[in-house]
Amino acid sequence: MTDALTTLAMHGGPFTDGGGPGWLFFFIPLFWIGLFVLLFTLAGRRWRKNGGPWRMQGSPEHTLGDRYARGEIDETEYRSRLEVLRAGGRADAAPGA
């Protein structure tokens, strides 16, 4: 037991010769920086693809088209509401109003 402890005390470990981790030490922060850049890039692409935080349900025209496709509104109501949306959302801008 004493011989093993003496050998360990004399050897000192892998960094006692002055070598140290050297340039490999810089790979640790570079790895984490690269990982964060990758995650933010992928999240940003998904964010821009989905329209950002302000587009939660979809555009009003898309929602109106979905309602028309499901049969909730007829064609005349769809067209009149679509004209109101394209005119800027003002009910007084719709023709016939």
Side-chain angles (χ1 to χ4, degrees):
M1 177 79 165
T2 308
D3 292 332
L5 291 176
T6 305
T7 304
L8 284 174
M10 295 297 287
H11 184 265
F15 302 121
T16 56
D17 60 351
W23 59 274
L24 291 174
F25 178 73
F26 292 107
F27 279 121
I28 296 170
L30 287 178
F31 168 77
W32 287 108
I33 291 169
L35 183 67
F36 284 126
V37 166
L38 179 69
L39 290 175
F40 281 118
T41 301
L42 294 176
R45 283 185 183 178
R46 174 168 275 186
W47 185 310
R48 285 187 302 273
K49 180 181 175 187
N50 291 335
W54 53 87
R55 185 176 154 209
M56 300 300 265
Q57 297 291 331
S59 68
E61 290 183 16
H62 187 269
T63 304
L64 187 62
D66 285 344
R67 289 187 63 197
Y68 176 64
R70 287 192 302 260
E72 293 177 11
I73 56 176
D74 60 350
E75 183 180 356
T76 55
E77 187 176 356
Y78 169 74
R79 291 193 185 276
S80 66
R81 288 180 183 224
L82 187 61
E83 288 177 14
V84 169
L85 284 174
R86 290 186 176 164
R90 296 181 315 268
D92 59 333

